[in-house]
Amino acid sequence: MDSGKGMEFSILQNLRNLYVPELPRCLQGSDVQVEIGDITTVMDPMDAQSIQRSFPLTYGQPLVHHFSSSNKTPLDIHAPKEQKPIRVGVVFCGRQSPGGHNVICGLHDAMKSHNPKSTLLGFCGGTEGLFKQKTLEITEDVVSKYRNQGGYDMLGRTMDQIRTTEQVNAGLTTCQTLKLDGLVIIGGVTSNTDAAQLAETFAEAKCSTKVVGVPVTFYGDLKNQFVEANVGFDTICKVNSQLISNICIDALSAEKYYYFIRLMGRRASHVALECALQSHPNMVILSEEVAASKLTLYDITKQICDAVQARAELGKYHGVILLPEGLIESIPEVYALLQEIHVLLKNGVSVDNVSKQLSPWASALYESMPPFIKKQLLLSPESDESAQLSQIETEKLLAQLVESEMETRTKNGTYKGKKFNSICHFFGYQARGSLPSKFDCDYAHALGHASYHLLAAGLNGYMATVTNLKNDVYKWRCGGAPFTAMMTVRRLLRGPGSSLIGKPSIHPVAVDLKGKPYELLLRDAEKFLMDDLYSNPGPIQYIGSGSDNKTICLSVEDQDYMGRVTELQAYLEKVRTMVKPGCSQEVLKAALSSMASVLEILTLMSPAAKSSITGHVKY
């Protein structure tokens, strides 16, 4: 790797390079400590046995909290061996996400500040570099070129998996050969699931290398009790929202085009939802809505056509419609068609012969598709068994279907407005290399520091976490949570990743159709559709007004899980203090009665209880 050789920075890049990310109070100073918290469990008790069986050495580990000992003196603390030099490797996995460089910069800064003799090695070319031991020593000279910069070009990335036995063993050999104390894997859902398996394998092999993951993915789908946001999501949504809002203003100016915009999102529609909340397009169709309502291709087409016709009655012949790239797999009949195609391709049927071996109904659907979609549906599936969603032009398909339906309505006399005209866009790569927002710079840098402290404490099988993100940086809580505490077992799965059925994994989280962000969208959906309430957030602000703005989804959600855990522990401690042997009968009876009521409520709320009562099958 050239490590920035030949790069010519713009004025803005130089200014961002000089920015010093803010650090949470708990990570400031040279006396950062690691507090070992409560033992973790899993969300669904029904999954516990399966997860423990698959990860016997890393299951049930405790939560970890970082703090500066000058601010707190806990009873149970493990001080990292801060003066001992350590050797750490770091690898980029998954799609490049703005802020990824700052994870490495934060990790480097923390290592060198605690012992200048520590060594940080970056694996060039993603996991392929890990397997082949292709390394670059990350020095101050290297990180100085990439502070607060976009992309993954410091190291690059190629393969995204550490999954097969051969790959895991290659990773183990590399870490043993290079005598690494720690390995940091930067990536999303798949990468951190792979990191969990690597941590378990290393523990089984008694390898001294500890594995830590960092939640970096612009899809925004790595979310759970311990992870409130993913590095890159804030930036991606801000960049895309500006592009969308520019098109909204263009649509309003020309008054003759409908713009169909497909956004990245794959299995979840978090990007589309956030961009809709920021830019206020006329329509957004989420994959989760389609899947929940089992909408067909015809249903979606009719829904859009009805909207076009309603707007035409107000004299409006323009509009902007957002679509997530995973939408195509959420449509029942198209998903079933893709499954048939993928099975045939897996069985060695040539692309030219696939259409001839489809079932009658699948063949009829396939033949009804435009030629360009036919070709795209025949592309080989991704490694997770999903279609190559970035290559399937869903926006063009829907635009053509809507145009055809509007022509039919015109001939039937049910539509008397002007001719429908469409323009299509795919925003898949325009934002991935963006300069990261202030939030992503600070968040990624803090995660890099947190990763170091986990490794310095000798912890294996953890994801670095930063919570309380909706508040100011100095109030953020940092630490780590075991990979296994984030896992679930899917017993029935519709969609990509069917090979994971029955296997403990960190699964992508879909948009919650009962959550506050979606409720906010529903509240204004009719006004957005009919009234053209376009909002232009403008380019990312790095200083001054607007620079501290966070995503709307993060701002409206009430996610402070770690804060509530701490609050609960404080209450329990108070109860122990007040109800001791020798207290009055009245106090003891009140405590017993209250605890019995709490236990009854919690028992009824547990997933196992719900399953036995309702016969619920987990999806």
Side-chain angles (χ1 to χ4, degrees):
M1 300 294 292
D2 290 335
S3 302
K5 184 178 180 181
M7 292 175 63
E8 186 172 342
F9 278 5
S10 68
I11 294 175
L12 178 58
Q13 284 177 298
N14 280 316
L15 288 173
R16 293 310 296 155
N17 189 252
L18 296 174
Y19 172 68
V20 179
E22 296 182 52
L23 265 182
R25 183 170 53 193
C26 62
L27 294 177
Q28 294 177 8
S30 60
D31 58 347
V32 176
Q33 304 288 306
V34 174
E35 177 184 7
I36 303 301
D38 290 340
I39 297 296
T40 56
T41 183
V42 293
M43 185 178 295
D44 189 343
M46 294 175 64
D47 294 340
Q49 186 175 359
S50 177
I51 297 172
Q52 185 172 16
R53 186 164 53 244
S54 297
F55 298 89
L57 301 177
T58 54
Y59 176 80
Q61 297 190 97
L63 278 182
V64 171
H65 310 282
H66 299 330
F67 64 92
S68 177
S69 62
S70 60
N71 298 323
K72 183 180 179 184
T73 307
L75 296 176
D76 183 14
I77 61 174
H78 288 218
K81 299 177 182 178
E82 297 174 341
Q83 302 307 313
K84 177 184 176 182
I86 63 173
R87 290 173 59 83
V88 176
V90 61
V91 59
F92 282 130
C93 296
R95 276 66 174 177
Q96 47 269 37
S97 193
H101 282 148
N102 268 34
V103 176
I104 295 180
C105 293
L107 176 60
H108 168 271
D109 293 350
M111 289 175 62
K112 294 299 184 179
S113 67
H114 288 83
N115 193 311
K117 294 182 181 179
S118 290
T119 302
L120 179 59
L121 299 176
F123 290 102
C124 303
T127 51
E128 186 176 279
L130 172 66
F131 304 146
K132 296 182 179 180
Q133 301 183 30
K134 294 167 59 177
T135 63
L136 166 72
E137 183 172 356
I138 299 174
T139 63
E140 177 58 37
D141 184 55
V142 173
V143 298
S144 66
K145 298 181 178 70
Y146 291 95
R147 292 187 187 278
N148 312 309
Q149 304 299 310
Y152 276 6
D153 50 314
M154 178 196 288
L155 299 172
R157 40 80 52 169
T158 48
M159 297 175 63
D160 302 327
Q161 292 183 356
I162 317 172
R163 186 168 301 170
T164 67
T165 301
E166 182 181 0
Q167 290 170 339
V168 171
N169 289 337
L172 174 62
T173 299
T174 292
C175 291
Q176 290 175 326
T177 301
L178 297 177
K179 298 179 180 179
L180 297 182
D181 298 295
L183 176 66
V184 177
I185 294 177
I186 298 173
V189 172
T190 301
S191 301
N192 279 283
T193 297
D194 291 346
Q197 185 58 62
L198 207 60
E200 181 69 23
T201 301
F202 282 16
E204 185 179 1
K206 293 182 171 53
C207 174
S208 60
T209 307
K210 311 304 179 184
V211 181
V212 166
V214 184
V216 179
T217 170
F218 62 80
Y219 294 134
D221 58 0
L222 205 178
K223 298 175 73 174
N224 51 56
Q225 308 96 301
F226 314 105
V227 180
E228 297 178 358
N230 305 148
V231 173
F233 182 74
D234 185 89
T235 303
I236 289 287
C237 292
K238 286 175 177 172
V239 173
N240 280 335
S241 293
Q242 185 203 2
L243 296 174
I244 293 164
S245 62
N246 290 348
I247 288 178
C248 288
I249 301 303
D250 186 78
L252 190 61
S253 302
E255 296 186 312
K256 60 179 179 181
Y257 297 116
Y258 272 87
Y259 292 87
F260 288 71
I261 302 174
R262 177 166 50 104
L263 300 168
M264 282 192 143
R266 299 183 68 77
R267 304 178 194 177
S269 308
H270 297 288
V271 174
L273 172 59
E274 177 63 31
C275 288
L277 292 172
Q278 289 193 29
S279 60
H280 305 175
N282 298 102
M283 290 184 71
V284 56
I285 300 174
L286 306 181
S287 301
E288 292 82 354
E289 294 175 313
V290 172
S293 300
K294 295 182 172 57
L295 299 180
T296 64
L297 198 55
Y298 173 77
D299 293 332
I300 298 171
T301 302
K302 182 178 183 300
Q303 183 179 339
I304 297 173
C305 288
D306 290 346
V308 170
Q309 186 160 339
R311 286 177 58 79
E313 291 172 1
L314 297 179
K316 297 181 178 182
Y317 296 96
H318 62 274
V320 177
I321 302 168
L322 302 188
L323 311 166
E325 65 176 354
L327 177 65
I328 194 74
E329 282 194 326
S330 299
I331 302 170
E333 72 272 26
V334 180
Y335 170 74
L337 170 61
L338 283 167
Q339 288 296 96
E340 280 202 27
I341 291 173
H342 293 169
V343 167
L344 291 171
L345 291 173
K346 188 175 181 179
N347 291 336
V349 178
S350 68
V351 171
D352 294 334
N353 292 323
V354 166
S355 61
K356 301 172 186 176
Q357 297 192 33
L358 293 171
S359 62
W361 75 266
S363 178
L365 176 60
Y366 177 79
E367 293 302 327
S368 71
M369 297 285 188
F372 71 93
I373 286 290
K374 286 182 181 179
K375 183 178 179 180
Q376 293 162 5
L377 292 177
L378 293 176
L379 293 171
S380 298
E382 302 275 16
S383 58
D384 65 355
E385 301 180 16
S386 65
Q388 291 194 39
L389 299 174
S390 63
Q391 304 301 316
I392 300 178
E393 297 172 301
T394 312
E395 72 282 11
K396 290 186 179 180
L397 171 62
L398 285 174
Q400 285 195 18
L401 292 175
V402 170
E403 182 176 3
S404 177
E405 173 62 18
M406 294 311 296
E407 288 176 355
T408 300
R409 293 186 183 192
T410 299
K411 291 177 183 177
N412 294 340
T414 55
Y415 174 68
K416 300 178 181 180
K418 295 180 182 179
K419 186 178 185 301
F420 172 83
N421 295 297
S422 65
I423 297 176
C424 297
H425 294 281
F426 171 44
F427 292 167
Y429 307 98
Q430 292 87 337
R432 295 200 314 190
S434 170
L435 288 173
S437 64
K438 182 179 180 296
F439 173 83
D440 277 330
C441 287
D442 294 339
Y443 182 32
H445 193 256
L447 284 167
H449 274 258
S451 299
Y452 162 74
H453 291 295
L454 292 173
L455 294 174
L459 298 170
N460 180 44
Y462 278 78
M463 188 184 296
T465 61
V466 179
T467 58
N468 202 30
L469 291 172
K470 65 194 300 182
N471 286 310
D472 295 334
V473 175
Y474 78 94
K475 293 182 180 179
W476 289 356
R477 301 185 182 94
C478 305
F483 291 125
T484 55
M486 305 177 188
M487 290 184 172
T488 54
V489 179
R490 293 193 174 180
R491 297 169 180 82
L492 181 61
L493 182 65
R494 178 197 177 282
S498 56
S499 62
L500 298 178
I501 294 176
K503 296 182 179 180
S505 300
I506 301 172
H507 288 100
V509 174
V511 168
D512 182 2
L513 298 184
K514 295 181 180 179
K516 291 183 179 179
Y518 183 69
E519 289 179 356
L520 186 61
L521 178 68
L522 284 186
R523 187 192 71 187
D524 296 325
E526 185 63 27
K527 291 187 290 184
F528 289 170
L529 175 62
M530 303 305 296
D531 297 342
D532 295 346
L533 301 179
Y534 303 140
S535 175
N536 193 331
I540 295 175
Q541 302 299 301
Y542 296 105
I543 59 174
S545 178
S547 62
D548 288 319
N549 288 351
K550 300 178 174 68
T551 59
I552 294 173
C553 288
L554 179 62
S555 299
V556 302
E557 288 176 340
D558 191 13
Q559 299 185 99
D560 191 17
Y561 184 87
M562 300 301 289
R564 290 193 178 93
V565 168
T566 301
E567 187 178 1
L568 175 62
Q569 290 171 338
Y571 276 122
L572 293 175
E573 188 59 38
K574 288 179 181 178
V575 171
R576 290 193 190 97
T577 301
M578 297 174 69
V579 187
K580 290 182 176 179
C583 68
S584 68
Q585 282 277 14
E586 289 74 14
V587 169
L588 183 58
K589 288 179 180 179
L592 284 172
S593 177
S594 299
M595 288 298 180
S597 298
V598 169
L599 183 59
E600 183 178 358
I601 293 171
L602 294 179
T603 301
L604 291 173
M605 290 180 66
S606 72
K610 288 183 179 180
S611 179
S612 63
I613 293 172
T614 63
H616 173 68
V617 178
K618 182 160 68 80
Y619 289 80

